[in-house]
Amino acid sequence: MLPELSIQTWTLIIAMVTAVTCGLCGSLLLLNRQAMVSEGLSHAVLPGLVIAFLLFRSFSSPWLLLFAAGSGLLMVLATELLSKTRLVDSDAGLGIVFAGMFSFGVLLVSMELRNVHFHADCIIDGNLSLTPLDRMEVPGLGPVPKSFVTMSGLLLAALTFILVCYKELKVMIFDPMHSLRLGLRPRLISYLWLSLVSLTAVAAFDAAGSILIVALMIAPPATAFLLTQRFDWFLYLSAGVSGVCSLLGYFMASRMEISPTGPTASAAGLVFLVVLVAGPKRSVLAEWLGRGSRRDRMRLSLAAEIAGSVATRGDAERAFERTFRISDGAANRLMEQLLERQLVTCTGGDIDMTEAGRNEVRGQLKDFPGSAANST
C-alpha cells in the first residue's frame, strides 16, 4: 500500500509524469520536423473522443482513448493525402485539417452534450489541481488518482518503445532513405509513435488540457535541441527539462494560488528563452561570442599574411593602417599580438611569417568554399 499523500503532492507527481511523457513524445516529433503535429493532434482527437462518448456513454470506457487515437491518425493521413496533391503546403494542409476536425468536435459537444459535464473549455484549459480527486482502486497500492495510473502507463509505453526501437529510430530520423534500404519500415514506426502521441494527448486532456500538452511537447524538446546534438542526451534532456518545468510551474502556481496549467506552460517557455539567449553552445550569446572570436582570428591571420608579404616591421604597420583603417598605435599593438602568438618573427626590423602563421592562414582559407586551401 502506498502511504497517504496529500492532494498537493499528488498534483505535483501527476504534473511531473504528464510533463515527462509529453516531453518524450514531442522529442521525436521535433526531430522529424513534425512539432506542430502535436498542436494538430491535441485538437483533432476531440471528434473521436466525443463520438466514442456518444456511442458508449461512459467517461471511463477505454474506447474513448482508442477512438481519439484513431481520430489523431486520421488527421495525419488526411494531411499527408492533402500534401501529396501538391496544391497546398504540408503546413497549410495540417492547419486546414486539424482546424476542421476540432471545429467538428466542438460542434458535436455544443449540439449533443449540452446537459453533460463535457465542455470544450475543460479540454482546452485542463485543471491539474482537480486530478487527484478522481481515484481508482489499484491492487497492492490502494486508491490512486486515475490520471496518475494512465499517464504512468503511457510513460512506460513511451520508454519501452524508445528502448526497443532505439536503433531504428536513430537511423529513421537521421537518414530516412537508408532506413528504407535496410527494410526498417520507417512509416510503420512513425505511425506507431503518432498513435502513442495521440493516446498521450487524449489521456492528458483531463489533467493538462490541450494548451499545456502543446507547450510540453514542443518547448522542452526544443530546449534540449539547443543543449546537445547527441540523440541519447537529447532524449534525457527532453525528459529532464520537462520535469523541471513542471516543478517550476507547480511552485509558481502555489505562490499565486491558481491552477498549475498556465504557470507550467509559462515555465516551459521561459526555460526555452533562457537557453536560447544564454545557453552554453547553441544560443544567441554563444553565437555572438563565437563570431567575435572568429572575427579576431580572421583579423590576426590576415595581418600575418600582410606582414609576410612585406620586408620590414614599419612597412607591415603602415599596411595595417591602410587595410584595417586603424591608427599607428593600434597597428603597433596588432604587430605585438602577432609576435606574442608567434605568427611572425622580427629580426633586426625584418619581418617573416612563421610556420604557425602559415598554418593559421591555411586554416582560415579552409572556411571558404572554393578556396585553393579548401580544394587541396
Side-chain angles (χ1 to χ4, degrees):
M1 296 289 290
L2 285 176
E4 185 65 27
L5 300 177
S6 65
I7 292 178
Q8 291 78 12
T9 304
W10 273 123
T11 300
L12 177 59
I13 292 173
I14 294 170
M16 292 189 68
V17 173
T18 301
V20 172
T21 307
C22 290
L24 287 175
C25 288
S27 61
L28 297 183
L29 291 179
L30 183 75
L31 290 181
N32 277 324
R33 298 183 179 181
Q34 295 178 308
M36 288 310 297
V37 169
S38 60
E39 169 72 17
L41 287 174
S42 66
H43 290 75
V45 296
L46 179 58
L49 200 64
V50 177
I51 291 171
F53 179 78
L54 291 175
L55 291 175
F56 301 99
R57 292 289 173 176
S58 173
F59 287 113
S60 58
S61 173
W63 288 106
L64 268 70
L65 287 175
L66 296 177
F67 270 64
S71 182
L73 286 179
L74 178 62
M75 183 214 71
V76 174
L77 291 172
T79 303
E80 288 186 356
L81 290 174
L82 197 58
S83 63
K84 283 181 180 179
T85 65
R86 298 184 180 179
L87 298 175
V88 294
D89 294 335
S90 57
D91 292 340
L94 175 62
I96 292 169
V97 173
F98 94 72
M101 294 184 68
F102 184 67
S103 300
F104 178 65
V106 172
L107 184 63
L108 285 177
V109 171
S110 301
M111 292 177 59
E112 302 294 335
L113 302 176
R114 293 178 180 177
N115 299 320
V116 179
H117 182 63
F118 190 99
H119 199 271
D121 290 343
C122 301
I123 296 171
I124 295 172
D125 298 333
N127 195 337
L128 281 166
S129 303
L130 300 179
T131 53
L133 302 178
D134 186 14
R135 304 197 178 195
M136 61 182 294
E137 192 71 27
V138 178
L141 297 178
V144 177
K146 289 183 180 180
S147 294
F148 172 75
V149 175
T150 305
M151 297 309 302
S152 296
L154 288 170
L155 176 58
L156 181 61
L159 291 173
T160 303
F161 186 89
I162 291 173
L163 289 174
V164 172
C165 303
Y166 179 79
K167 293 181 179 178
E168 291 81 358
L169 288 170
K170 198 171 183 180
V171 176
M172 181 187 78
I173 289 170
F174 296 106
D175 195 344
M177 296 305 297
H178 186 56
S179 66
L180 280 172
R181 288 193 292 268
L182 293 176
L184 298 180
R185 297 185 178 183
R187 185 175 293 272
L188 175 62
I189 294 176
S190 178
Y191 283 151
L192 288 174
W193 184 254
L194 287 171
S195 299
L196 185 59
V197 174
S198 297
L199 289 171
T200 301
V202 179
F205 270 162
D206 187 39
S210 63
I211 293 176
L212 184 56
I213 292 170
V214 175
L216 292 176
M217 283 192 181
I218 296 178
T223 304
F225 188 76
L226 295 175
L227 293 173
T228 184
Q229 293 182 315
R230 289 184 52 179
F231 183 55
D232 52 350
W233 277 102
F234 171 72
L235 295 174
Y236 299 148
L237 287 171
S238 294
V241 172
S242 300
V244 170
C245 291
S246 65
L247 279 171
L248 291 175
Y250 174 80
F251 288 115
M252 287 167 60
S254 298
R255 289 275 186 175
M256 294 183 286
E257 297 184 352
I258 59 176
S259 172
T261 304
T264 302
S266 300
L270 288 173
V271 170
F272 171 75
L273 286 176
V274 169
V275 174
L276 177 67
V277 173
K281 293 183 178 180
R282 304 171 68 187
S283 66
V284 175
L285 181 61
E287 184 69 17
W288 182 77
L289 292 174
R291 283 180 181 176
S293 63
R294 285 196 298 270
R295 185 167 54 248
D296 292 341
R297 188 175 174 184
M298 289 179 65
R299 179 188 176 95
L300 284 175
S301 67
L302 178 58
E305 188 172 15
I306 292 172
S309 64
V310 298
T312 66
R313 174 168 179 165
D315 292 337
E317 292 185 2
R318 283 190 291 274
F320 293 164
E321 293 176 26
R322 292 192 303 271
T323 303
F324 300 113
R325 297 182 180 180
I326 55 179
S327 64
D328 55 350
N332 182 266
R333 289 192 295 272
L334 182 56
M335 177 59 72
E336 291 297 329
Q337 282 184 294
L338 293 176
L339 292 170
E340 183 181 351
R341 298 193 180 208
Q342 298 182 349
L343 300 179
V344 298
T345 58
C346 182
T347 306
D350 295 331
I351 290 292
D352 188 25
M353 193 189 309
T354 64
E355 186 62 29
R358 284 187 282 273
N359 289 335
E360 181 69 19
V361 171
R362 284 195 291 267
Q364 289 298 318
L365 288 174
K366 286 181 181 179
D367 292 336
F368 294 90
S371 66
N374 196 33
S375 60
T376 57

